[in-house]
C-alpha cells in the first residue's frame, strides 16, 4: 500500500500473508518489523522504496524503488534476500510497477494497463492480463494455494471487479459491485470472499467469490470518504470480521460471522445462511458496524488488519458469548497502534489501546510503547 503523497514519513506499508510481520519504507530505506513484539527484524538504509512485500516470514522480499536514484528505478522489481543482503533476481518493465503480490507459487506484478503472472520459483512468465487503466495499482490477492485469486478493476466508469484464478490461469468471474469506480479491494485469505469499496466510500460490499453473488452490504457512513484499506480477519473457513480505515481517521469493523442476541432470531449459524435470506436493508443494519473514531488524524493514510480473532463460549451453554480481535494499525504519519476489540452477545463493543510506538524511531530490540 503505497503513499501517493510524500508529506508523511511512511512511503509504503504492507503486512505479510499471515499478518505476523510488516514492512514499511521511508525516504531513507525500509524496515521489517515483528507484529507481535514490535521488534525490528531487518533494516536497510539505501534509499526510498514505494513497494516492499514480504513472503510470510521468509528471507525473501519483493522491493521496488521510488526512483530518487538511478539504481532504484520504479520500473525495476528486485527479489531480495535479507539473509545475504543481496538481490536474487531483478526484473525490469517498460512502465512503473504499481503493485506486487506473491505467495509460494505465484508472483503478480501490476502495471498501469497490464498485469503479469509468474511462477514464484522459476520466475517464468505464465500469463499476461490486459487491464483497464489502473492508475492506483488497485489489486487484491488471496495467498491460499487452494483458493488463489487475483482481483483487479474491470472498469474506470463503475465499480466492476475482475476475479482471476491465478493457479488455473483463467478468468473466474466479473462482479458489478458499485456504481462508482473502485477505491479499495480485499480478498479473504482463503479466497472465498471479496470486499469492495467505491470512490464514494459510503457502502462496503462483500461477495462470495465462487458464485459471484452479493452476500453483504455495509454502510460505513452517509458522507463520502476515501477508503484507505480493507482487510478480512484471518480464517481457515469463514471470516468473522472485516476491517476498514478511511480518510475520516476512523477504524471500522463490520461483523460477519459472529452472532449477537439482537440478530439471533433472524440469523442462522452459518455466514451465508444468516444473510442471504434477508434484504439489503437488513444488511445495512448499524448493529453490524462498530467504529473507533479519531484513531488517526483526518486525512492521514492508514492501514489496519485484524491479526487474530478469538471466540469465547458461554460457560453455561455452547453459544458464543463474545468475540475478541487484535487490530493492528499503521498510520503513514509514522505510528503503529494495536487495539483489542471486544464484541459481546448484546452487540456491545469496546476498544482498548494496547500498544503505540513510533515506527521511524524503531532501531533495535523491542519497540518502546507509550
Amino acid at each position: 500500500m503505497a503513499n501517493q503523497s510524500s508529506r508523511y514519513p511512511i512511503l509504503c506499508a504492507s503486512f505479510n500473508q499471515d499478518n505476523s510481520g510488516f514492512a514499511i519504507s521511508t525516504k531513507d530505506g525500509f524496515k521489517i518489523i515483528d507484529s507481535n513484539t514490535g521488534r525490528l527484524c531487518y533494516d536497510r538504509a539505501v534509499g526510498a522504496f514505494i513497494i516492499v512485500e514480504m513472503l510470510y516470514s521468509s528471507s525473501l522480499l519483493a522491493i521496488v524503488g521510488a526512483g530518487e536514484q538511478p539504481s532504484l528505478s520504479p520500473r525495476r522489481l528486485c527479489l531480495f534476500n535479507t539473509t545475504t543482503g543481496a538481490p536474487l533476481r531483478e526484473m525490469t518493465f517498460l512502465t512503473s510497477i504499481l503493485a506486487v503480490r506473491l505467495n509460494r507459487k505465484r508472483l503478480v506484478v501490476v502495471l498501469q494497463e497490464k498485469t503479469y503472472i509468474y511462477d514464484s520459483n522459476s520466475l517464468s512468465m505464465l500469463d499476461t492480463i490486459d487491464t483497464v487503466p489502473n492508475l492506483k495499482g488497485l489489486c487484491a490477492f488471496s495467498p491460499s494455494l487452494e483458493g488463489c485469486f487475483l482481483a483487479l478493476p474491470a472498469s474506470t466508469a463503475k465499480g466492476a471487479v475482475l476475479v482471476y484464478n491465478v493457479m488455473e490461469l483463467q478468468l473466474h468471474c466479473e462482479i458489478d459491485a458499485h456504481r462508482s469506480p473502485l477505491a479499495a479491494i480485499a480478498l479473504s485469505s482463503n479466497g472465498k470472499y471479496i470486499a469492495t469499496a467505491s470512490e464514494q466510500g459510503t457502502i462496503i460490499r462483500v461477495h462470495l467469490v465462487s458464485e459471484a453473488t452479493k452476500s453483504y452490504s455495509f454502510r460505513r457512513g452517509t458522507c463520502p470518504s476515501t477508503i484507505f484499506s480493507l482487510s478480512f480477519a484471518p480464517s481457515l473457513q469463514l471470516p468473522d470480521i472485516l476491517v476498514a480505515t478511511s480518510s475520516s481517521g476512523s477504524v471500522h469493523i463490520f461483523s460477519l460471522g459472529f452472532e449477537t442476541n439482537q440478530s439471533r432470531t433472524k440469523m442462522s449459524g452459518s455466514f451465508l445462511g444468516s444473510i442471504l435470506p434477508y434484504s439489503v436493508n437488513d444488511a445495512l443494519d448499524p448493529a453490524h458496524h462498530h467504529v473507533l473514531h479519531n484513531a488517526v488524524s483526518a486525512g492521514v493514510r492508514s492501514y489496519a488488519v485484524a491479526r487474530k480473532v478469538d471466540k469465547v463460549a458461554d460457560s453455561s451453554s455452547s453459544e458464543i458469548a463474545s468475540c475478541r480481535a487484535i487490530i493492528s494499525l499503521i498510520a503513514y504519519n509514522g505510528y503503529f497502534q494495536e487495539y483489542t476489540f471486544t464484541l459481546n452477545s448484546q452487540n456491545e463493543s469496546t476498544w482498548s489501546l494496547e500498544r503505540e510506538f513510533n515506527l521511524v524511531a524503531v532501531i533495535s530490540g523491542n519497540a518502546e510503547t507509550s
Side-chain angles (χ1 to χ4, degrees):
M1 185 175 177
N3 186 7
Q4 302 299 319
S5 171
S6 59
R7 58 183 173 142
Y8 299 120
I10 304 298
L11 300 181
C12 73
S14 64
F15 284 84
N16 65 358
Q17 291 80 358
D18 57 11
N19 297 333
S20 62
F22 62 91
I24 62 165
S25 171
T26 68
K27 63 181 179 62
D28 299 317
F30 63 85
K31 300 179 180 183
I32 307 299
I33 299 172
D34 186 289
S35 299
N36 297 300
T37 64
R39 180 178 62 87
L40 180 66
C41 301
Y42 188 81
D43 185 8
R44 189 168 181 85
V46 291
F49 291 82
I50 53 171
I51 294 172
V52 182
E53 291 287 333
M54 305 171 64
L55 179 62
Y56 292 94
S57 297
S58 73
S59 60
L60 179 65
L61 299 178
I63 56 179
V64 178
E68 296 183 358
Q69 48 187 289
S71 62
L72 298 178
S73 168
R75 297 188 296 109
R76 182 181 298 127
L77 169 64
C78 175
L79 298 178
F80 186 81
N81 188 324
T82 59
T83 301
T84 62
L88 293 171
R89 178 81 177 267
E90 292 186 340
M91 306 164 68
T92 301
F93 297 84
L94 293 177
T95 60
S96 294
I97 301 166
L98 301 179
V100 176
R101 298 291 185 268
L102 70 163
N103 64 12
R104 292 188 174 96
K105 293 288 187 179
R106 294 290 184 263
L107 169 69
V108 177
V109 180
V110 179
L111 309 185
Q112 183 171 310
E113 295 186 353
K114 288 185 181 292
T115 295
Y116 297 96
I117 314 295
Y118 296 89
D119 182 288
S120 291
N121 297 300
S122 66
L123 294 184
S124 58
M125 185 187 296
L126 301 175
D127 202 359
T128 301
I129 305 171
D130 293 318
T131 65
V132 299
N134 185 6
L135 301 180
K136 298 178 181 178
L138 283 179
C139 67
F141 185 66
S142 51
S144 169
L145 299 182
E146 289 74 30
C148 189
F149 293 100
L150 171 69
L152 297 162
S155 171
T156 57
K158 61 180 181 178
V161 58
L162 177 151
V163 181
Y164 180 87
N165 189 314
V166 181
M167 298 306 295
E168 297 179 5
L169 302 176
Q170 63 184 19
L171 176 66
H172 176 73
C173 66
E174 185 173 316
I175 299 171
D176 287 328
H178 304 270
R179 295 178 182 176
S180 300
L182 294 171
I185 323 171
L187 280 159
S188 61
S189 58
N190 55 18
K192 292 185 178 180
Y193 302 100
I194 183 170
T196 58
S198 75
E199 291 179 351
Q200 290 293 316
T202 54
I203 300 294
I204 293 171
R205 293 196 166 98
V206 176
H207 285 75
L208 180 65
V209 171
S210 62
E211 300 175 12
T213 53
K214 182 169 61 180
S215 297
Y216 230 150
S217 293
F218 297 105
R219 181 172 292 280
R220 179 213 54 84
T222 55
C223 297
S225 183
T226 301
I227 302 300
F228 287 144
S229 71
L230 289 172
S231 178
F232 287 99
S235 175
L236 295 177
Q237 296 180 342
L238 303 176
D240 300 291
I241 62 175
L242 175 68
V243 184
T245 62
S246 69
S247 57
S248 67
S250 301
V251 180
H252 305 262
I253 285 185
F254 305 97
S255 55
L256 302 176
F258 177 66
E259 292 186 308
T260 66
N261 282 345
Q262 293 179 351
S263 58
R264 235 170 241 151
T265 57
K266 63 180 182 180
M267 292 176 69
S268 73
S270 69
F271 174 66
L272 291 178
S274 70
I275 55 185
L276 288 179
Y278 304 105
S279 69
V280 170
N281 288 333
D282 259 347
L284 292 174
D285 186 340
H288 298 284
H289 182 200
H290 308 271
V291 187
L292 174 65
H293 295 286
N294 303 317
V296 299
S297 299
V300 174
R301 181 173 289 273
S302 57
Y303 179 20
V305 300
R307 291 200 299 110
K308 185 179 181 182
V309 177
D310 293 317
K311 295 178 182 179
V312 180
D314 191 322
S315 58
S316 61
S317 68
S318 60
E319 294 181 343
I320 302 298
S322 66
C323 173
R324 183 172 59 247
I326 304 298
I327 309 297
S328 295
L329 180 142
I330 298 172
Y332 279 56
N333 60 0
Y335 285 88
F336 174 90
Q337 298 174 354
E338 185 170 276
Y339 293 88
T340 296
F341 169 80
T342 304
L343 178 65
N344 65 20
S345 58
Q346 282 73 46
N347 200 46
E348 299 166 336
S349 62
T350 59
W351 298 78
S352 175
L353 179 61
E354 305 294 343
R355 292 191 292 159
E356 182 179 23
F357 57 86
N358 188 322
L359 290 167
V360 180
V362 175
I363 55 175
S364 64
N366 292 340
E368 294 183 0
T369 58
S370 59

